[in-house]
Amino acid sequence: MRQILRNFKVLMKQVWKIDRKYFFYLFLSFVSVGIFSYYTIKTPKIVLDMIEASEIDIFSLVIIFLILISSAFLLSYSKVLYTPVGNKIRYRYLLDILEHYIYIPYEDYDNPKIQSNIWKIMRPVLSTDGLQAFYTNIASLVGNVSVLLVSIGILFNIQIWISVLILIWFVVYTALSIKSADKVDEETNKNIQLKQDEWYLDDIAVDVAYGKEIRVFQLQRWLEDKLIALHNKLNILNKKNYKTSAIPEVLNDIFQFIRDNLIFIFLITMYFRNQVSIGEFASYSVLIIQLNNALMATSENSKQILSKHDSYAEMLEFVNTPKQSNEGKAIELKDNWIIEFDDVWFKYPENETWVYENLNFTIEKGKKIAIVGLNGVGKTTLLKLLLRLYKPTKGRITLNGIDIWDYKLDDYFDFFAPVFQEINIFPFTIRENICFGRDFTDEQIIQAIKDSGLTQDEMNDFDLDSTYMTRYLHPDGLNLSGGQEQKFVTARALASKRPIYILDEPTSALDAVAEYDFYYKLDELMKEQTILFVSHRLASTQFCDEIILIENKAIIEKGTHKELLEKGGRYSELFMIQAKYYKGREAI
Ligand code: ADP
């Protein structure tokens, strides 16, 4: 209960902040529904009494008609006013959740525990029966309470015991349905993995990224079987949940039947004993129907308002977690700067094994450094540490002697122009994809694209603002090959002109000729720039000032290509193996 009250306070504060007219709509609903309900009950009696007495008072009838029609209009209109408020707040929370996801420190974001919780956190805002229903039901409850007050007030005057009985059952039924709704919610949360699986599995069927494998490996049947198995499990869960919520419903149907018959028997007896007129009989019948409807609706409203609070609490807790802070020292770039890895140890939070033990090296302004090593030795991890996506477990990385984690995040990120291994092109225009929110001139954008090796033809005549980068959302958008996409993301980095270029396997999707061109151009273009790049192709590192070879959680060799070959150590061994391999391939 305490949790419900706590959520209630937060959710009401939110609506006050976002659209406080909502409370006026509630008031409007309360008053108009009350008036409408009162006159709906009273009118049959007034009209029938007039007919019985043969005294038709047209003026009173017109007034009643006007009251009925204007209150009916107001109550419908209040619904039109308050219903969108719930939707508005749902979208506000959705935005808040997504914003939190965007601002979550990468280290937490990359954590499976957070990722596997996405569906649960988003549950209240994904459909209209979560938070949106909460607000709509509060408004609707206010109207129904108004009907109840009017109806029970009138019924109290005729039969107190029936009224008490109805009220008692109403409380019991509402409590039972809330309990069952909570049980359903709890059961759904317990089976959250099923919902997560549904979320991902449905996506596999429609996401183009999986399209080729599904067809060529003929995964259709296999995927279908998985979907059917999942849907069967979801059906079982649904059935179980339905059974839980059906118990109070069935009990209520029985009670309603008894209650309505009792009241009718009672009214008929009163009529035959001449204790009520035919007009009163008609009015009380309307009252019973109205009371019945209002009670049902009130229970439903209460259920919607008082259940699912575990999910709301989880969502509210998530949106209250602090966003990544941008506090820290401003970076003042001097003519010279230096980044130092100072005895850095690192292991991923969920893992036992160290990726690095005692890593020491420096990146000086203007240097071109290649990080090489076999798959899985930790090359990308090193970039993540440098880019402040992960924090060293021990030791520190400094920029001009100050821990990189002490700088303002924005300032620090502005230091790097990264090209990540996974190519991500956003479904926006060419300009938006290159600029990423910054202002570059057309010339700057086009130059960067040309420098990356893409041609005017490939880039739709450099039509920067009406060419979209994806064909799936925009049918006449570009459809680039893997290699072209890799060049395009490089163009993005080139346009940004930041102090350090970070290139993680920037040529993995390029053919040999394009790879050669890429490095030739890079060497020519970036005489002054600092580049840190990761490659497993040792031949591509020859233009670098320094090559760092990683193996066994540390740097095992350091030097220029020539020096390392002359040394005849591990680098030279790996280089020979690769050279032989490539030669062999060429011979084929
Ligand atoms: P490389 O770039 O040299 O191929 P990585 O830096 O990607 O290697 O990975 C180094 C090691 O860290 C590998 O054993 C990999 O499985 C592990 N690893 C990479 N990313 C994560 C992660 N997010 N969580 C846990 N382990 C990871």
Side-chain angles (χ1 to χ4, degrees):
M1 195 63 201
R2 218 181 301 145
Q3 184 184 58
I4 296 180
L5 287 177
R6 212 177 318 130
N7 289 350
F8 225 86
K9 219 166 112 190
V10 178
L11 295 172
M12 284 300 120
K13 260 193 194 158
Q14 180 76 333
V15 69
W16 181 255
K17 211 168 77 191
I18 292 173
D19 196 346
R20 62 187 62 169
K21 287 197 289 304
Y22 175 77
F23 294 98
F24 172 68
Y25 306 151
L26 298 190
F27 173 74
L28 200 65
S29 170
F30 184 80
V31 174
S32 56
V33 175
I35 295 173
F36 182 76
S37 148
Y38 181 80
Y39 280 95
T40 313
I41 296 169
K42 285 291 176 186
T43 307
K45 178 177 170 350
I46 296 171
V47 174
L48 286 169
D49 283 357
M50 280 183 190
I51 294 171
E52 244 183 354
S54 305
E55 279 173 22
I56 308 289
D57 178 356
I58 297 288
F59 180 72
S60 302
L61 286 181
V62 170
I63 296 285
I64 290 173
F65 176 74
L66 285 178
I67 292 176
L68 273 173
I69 201 142
S70 45
S71 55
F73 170 77
L74 268 185
L75 80 89
S76 295
Y77 191 57
S78 67
K79 227 182 251 178
V80 171
L81 291 173
Y82 69 64
T83 309
V85 178
N87 197 37
K88 197 164 154 187
I89 296 177
R90 172 161 86 93
Y91 276 116
R92 181 59 73 90
Y93 271 113
L94 178 62
L95 184 69
D96 225 7
I97 293 172
L98 295 178
E99 237 174 35
H100 265 78
Y101 270 112
I102 300 172
Y103 280 104
I104 263 180
Y106 187 80
E107 186 162 345
D108 299 333
Y109 178 73
D110 198 26
N111 189 324
K113 273 194 197 138
I114 296 258
Q115 285 296 329
S116 60
N117 223 16
I118 290 185
W119 195 84
K120 206 164 161 190
I121 285 163
M122 299 216 0
R123 219 179 124 202
V125 293
L126 280 181
S127 67
T128 50
D129 65 356
L131 257 198
Q132 184 170 337
F134 173 84
Y135 288 103
T136 320
N137 274 283
I138 286 184
S140 151
L141 176 75
V142 167
N144 286 318
V145 166
S146 177
V147 178
L148 282 184
L149 288 177
V150 170
S151 317
I152 295 196
I154 297 174
L155 194 61
F156 241 86
N157 280 326
I158 24 172
Q159 229 307 339
I160 199 158
W161 286 114
I162 293 181
S163 314
V164 171
L165 193 69
I166 288 175
L167 279 180
I168 291 175
W169 172 245
F170 166 71
V171 173
V172 172
Y173 169 64
T174 308
L176 282 178
S177 28
I178 292 167
K179 207 164 172 205
S180 74
D182 275 340
K183 232 171 144 186
V184 166
D185 203 45
E186 196 186 313
E187 193 63 30
T188 311
N189 276 339
K190 246 195 325 201
N191 288 284
I192 207 78
Q193 191 58 44
L194 283 182
K195 292 283 184 182
Q196 296 266 126
D197 289 353
E198 190 188 9
W199 170 284
Y200 284 108
L201 221 53
D202 289 352
D203 196 45
I204 288 178
V206 293
D207 190 341
V208 251
Y210 299 98
K212 289 197 284 289
E213 277 85 354
I214 289 177
R215 280 154 189 82
V216 179
F217 285 104
Q218 294 162 26
L219 300 183
Q220 290 96 336
R221 193 64 240 157
W222 173 75
L223 195 60
E224 244 176 280
D225 286 346
K226 275 197 177 304
L227 279 166
I228 292 170
L230 178 69
H231 290 174
N232 284 343
K233 282 185 193 158
L234 284 165
N235 277 336
I236 293 170
L237 174 68
N238 249 6
K239 203 164 155 189
K240 193 170 170 191
N241 283 346
Y242 178 70
K243 266 191 195 153
T244 312
S245 51
I247 298 168
E249 300 296 325
V250 172
L251 286 176
N252 189 47
D253 286 348
I254 298 169
F255 177 81
Q256 269 187 61
F257 180 79
I258 299 171
R259 179 195 65 197
D260 294 353
N261 282 296
L262 265 181
I263 295 178
F264 271 113
I265 292 167
F266 175 72
L267 280 178
I268 291 167
T269 325
M270 281 177 86
Y271 178 70
F272 281 115
R273 285 190 188 155
N274 283 333
Q275 285 167 326
V276 288
S277 67
I278 185 77
E280 279 166 334
F281 182 84
S283 278
Y284 294 149
S285 305
V286 172
L287 181 147
I288 289 162
I289 295 166
Q290 225 180 62
L291 181 65
N292 191 23
N293 290 344
L295 281 174
M296 284 308 85
T298 306
S299 283
E300 181 58 29
N301 296 150
S302 316
K303 184 172 92 180
Q304 294 283 355
I305 294 166
L306 298 175
S307 61
K308 302 182 188 150
H309 278 270
D310 276 351
S311 307
Y312 297 162
E314 191 129 9
M315 182 200 79
L316 292 173
E317 193 191 323
F318 180 73
V319 295
N320 271 334
T321 50
K323 288 185 188 164
Q324 191 162 18
S325 146
N326 192 33
E327 304 276 295
K329 294 189 180 75
I331 295 187
E332 287 156 24
L333 267 197
K334 300 187 189 121
D335 274 349
N336 254 328
W337 50 258
I338 182 164
I339 292 180
E340 287 168 286
F341 278 63
D342 180 10
D343 194 9
V344 169
W345 290 59
F346 179 74
K347 64 179 169 195
Y348 282 97
E350 308 290 311
N351 289 5
E352 286 300 309
T353 48
W354 292 100
V355 180
Y356 284 111
E357 290 175 359
N358 196 359
L359 183 66
N360 290 288
F361 82 101
T362 54
I363 307 167
E364 283 167 49
K365 188 180 173 201
K367 283 271 160 65
K368 291 170 186 54
I369 301 172
I371 298 163
V372 299
L374 298 179
N375 284 338
V377 292
K379 302 183 293 294
T380 302
T381 304
L382 189 148
L383 300 185
K384 287 188 206 161
L385 289 168
L386 175 65
L387 287 171
R388 252 176 87 165
L389 298 176
Y390 276 87
K391 202 171 191 166
T393 319
K394 283 196 263 177
R396 58 182 209 148
I397 305 167
T398 59
L399 168 65
N400 290 344
I402 295 171
D403 195 320
I404 58 169
W405 285 81
D406 291 341
Y407 286 113
K408 263 174 100 152
L409 196 62
D410 284 359
D411 274 20
Y412 189 71
F413 282 161
D414 276 347
F415 214 67
F416 298 95
V419 176
F420 295 109
Q421 220 178 106
E422 312 86 18
I423 299 168
N424 279 314
I425 295 180
F426 291 62
F428 309 140
T429 61
I430 299 182
R431 184 189 300 281
E432 286 171 304
N433 260 291
I434 295 283
C435 293
F436 268 3
R438 279 150 217 258
D439 265 340
F440 300 136
T441 62
D442 287 11
E443 287 71 39
Q444 284 172 319
I445 297 172
I446 293 170
Q447 191 57 50
I449 295 176
K450 281 184 179 163
D451 287 343
S452 76
L454 285 167
T455 62
Q456 188 163 353
D457 262 2
E458 287 171 310
M459 294 309 288
N460 202 17
D461 271 340
F462 296 133
D463 179 4
L464 303 180
D465 294 306
S466 31
T467 307
Y468 280 84
M469 294 302 299
T470 166
R471 214 162 47 83
Y472 299 115
L473 284 183
H474 303 275
D476 34 350
L478 288 183
N479 193 22
L480 299 184
S481 71
Q484 288 168 324
E485 285 191 338
Q486 199 155 39
K487 288 179 191 170
F488 185 78
V489 290
T490 311
R492 188 190 281 157
L494 293 176
S496 74
K497 302 236 177 304
R498 292 174 175 186
I500 306 185
Y501 289 85
I502 302 273
L503 311 172
D504 192 356
E505 303 276 7
T507 56
S508 57
L510 301 191
D511 57 60
V513 178
E515 186 177 34
Y516 176 80
D517 283 350
F518 179 88
Y519 286 114
Y520 181 77
K521 192 117 195 201
L522 208 64
D523 197 25
E524 210 180 60
L525 273 176
M526 305 209 166
K527 292 265 181 273
E528 308 292 315
Q529 272 84 348
T530 314
I531 306 177
L532 189 71
F533 93 96
V534 161
S535 179
H536 64 272
R537 281 288 310 277
L538 305 184
S540 59
T541 58
Q542 295 178 23
F543 78 98
C544 289
D545 304 313
E546 187 172 62
I547 296 164
I548 290 173
L549 175 63
I550 296 175
E551 212 165 87
N552 292 332
K553 309 173 196 242
I555 295 172
I556 57 162
E557 281 176 27
K558 216 190 283 186
T560 62
H561 179 68
K562 199 159 157 262
E563 282 165 6
L564 291 179
L565 280 191
E566 277 166 8
K567 188 177 164 199
R570 179 73 173 140
Y571 179 85
S572 120
E573 184 189 339
L574 290 174
F575 183 76
M576 292 308 167
I577 296 171
Q578 274 198 2
K580 226 193 298 175
Y581 172 75
Y582 280 105
K583 260 197 194 132
R585 300 264 301 177
E586 274 156 27
I588 297 166

